[in-house]
Amino acid sequence: MRTFFKLVVMVVVVLVLINVAQKVLGGNLIDFLSKHFGGSKLGSTTVTVGQETLIPKFEIVSLEIFYPKNVAVIQVDKFEWWRLNIGKVYYLIEYDTFIKLGVKNPDLIKPERIDNTIYVDESMIVIELLDSKLENFEHKGTFKSNMLVISNEEAKYVLLAINELQKELGPKIIENGQPNFEYAKKNFKANYESLCRGMGLDVVWRGGEKEENHGGIYQ
């Protein structure tokens, strides 16, 4: 009986001492015991970093061209002899032209990195016509070859003319826009070189100059 009583007294004493210690240590008894009498602690951290293999990826870098206030004259021939509607009607319209050139499929360009130098096969840079459109049409005026000609269908003929102009735009750019294709390629290369320089890398273009334009494609 005495042994049991002593055990109860010891438990009470221990609990009182723990309560006092918590008050003294501000509730951080566990941290105190871990720090001074063992427990879990951080030993060391090992970090394994692989070799850097970063290579800038080509993205579509296009040349955008804006030609504002183009003027087109639409001629409509009238020959309705039964009401003396014979002659020509001219519709003057103004519009803006937007053209975009660039690399349509950049995944075909495979850069290779050796140390701090990026090697690129220049022949794989294919500049194409990405987009061409006419916008902001405005009917500026209507002119007739004589006073008897009737011009009551101008909206119809203006719309037909716009459709024709849009169809002809792409082929004309490809046929007559060689300097624009050349500039688009130079701009593409310059942008990529600037990107690489910003990352501490040099660029070497392999293959030299192979500049041909076939069907809207410039290499």
Side-chain angles (χ1 to χ4, degrees):
M1 190 67 180
R2 292 180 178 179
T3 303
F4 177 75
F5 179 75
K6 292 181 180 179
L7 181 61
V8 171
V9 172
M10 291 180 60
V11 170
V12 172
V13 172
V14 170
L15 292 175
V16 171
L17 291 176
I18 291 175
N19 186 46
V20 173
Q22 284 183 330
K23 290 182 179 180
V24 173
L25 297 174
N28 296 321
L29 177 60
I30 294 177
D31 293 341
F32 176 82
L33 293 175
S34 297
K35 181 176 180 181
H36 292 85
F37 299 97
S40 300
K41 63 179 180 179
L42 180 63
S44 64
T45 302
T46 302
V47 178
T48 301
V49 180
Q51 183 179 0
E52 182 183 12
T53 58
L54 182 64
I55 296 179
K57 178 178 174 58
F58 275 89
E59 296 180 354
I60 293 178
V61 180
S62 60
L63 172 66
E64 293 187 353
I65 306 171
F66 172 57
Y67 295 106
K69 298 186 180 303
N70 301 278
V71 176
V73 178
I74 305 166
Q75 176 182 310
V76 178
D77 297 324
K78 299 281 189 174
F79 189 73
E80 299 174 342
W81 57 269
W82 58 91
R83 57 178 178 175
L84 299 179
N85 186 19
I86 301 174
K88 300 180 185 296
V89 181
Y90 303 94
Y91 301 110
L92 183 66
I93 61 173
E94 188 177 87
Y95 59 92
D96 299 332
T97 303
F98 295 88
I99 301 170
K100 181 182 289 187
L101 305 176
V103 178
K104 183 175 293 185
N105 190 356
D107 290 334
L108 294 178
I109 303 173
K110 306 295 184 182
E112 178 186 0
R113 177 171 177 175
I114 301 177
D115 295 329
N116 289 328
T117 302
I118 302 295
Y119 295 87
V120 185
D121 187 353
E122 187 174 353
S123 64
M124 296 302 295
I125 302 175
V126 180
I127 302 297
E128 300 180 64
L129 177 62
L130 302 179
D131 190 21
S132 62
K133 56 187 176 182
L134 307 177
E135 290 185 343
N136 304 324
F137 290 93
E138 184 177 354
H139 179 210
K140 305 296 290 186
T142 301
F143 308 93
K144 300 186 292 186
S145 62
N146 62 73
M147 297 298 294
L148 298 178
V149 177
I150 302 173
S151 59
N152 57 352
E153 296 181 305
E154 59 187 32
K156 168 186 173 181
Y157 288 109
V158 168
L159 180 59
L160 290 173
I162 290 173
N163 290 335
E164 290 299 318
L165 289 171
Q166 183 67 60
K167 290 179 182 178
E168 296 175 358
L169 180 59
K172 285 185 177 180
I173 295 172
I174 294 171
E175 181 180 357
N176 303 319
Q178 182 73 11
N180 291 330
F181 281 86
E182 295 174 359
Y183 185 78
K185 181 175 181 179
K186 292 178 180 178
N187 188 52
F188 183 92
K189 292 170 61 178
N191 288 340
Y192 189 72
E193 289 174 0
S194 297
L195 171 66
C196 291
R197 281 197 299 269
M199 302 173 66
L201 303 172
D202 296 322
V203 179
V204 174
W205 301 98
R206 289 171 169 168
E209 296 292 333
K210 180 184 178 183
E211 302 175 346
E212 300 176 359
N213 184 5
H214 300 291
I217 298 177
Y218 180 86
Q219 295 181 308

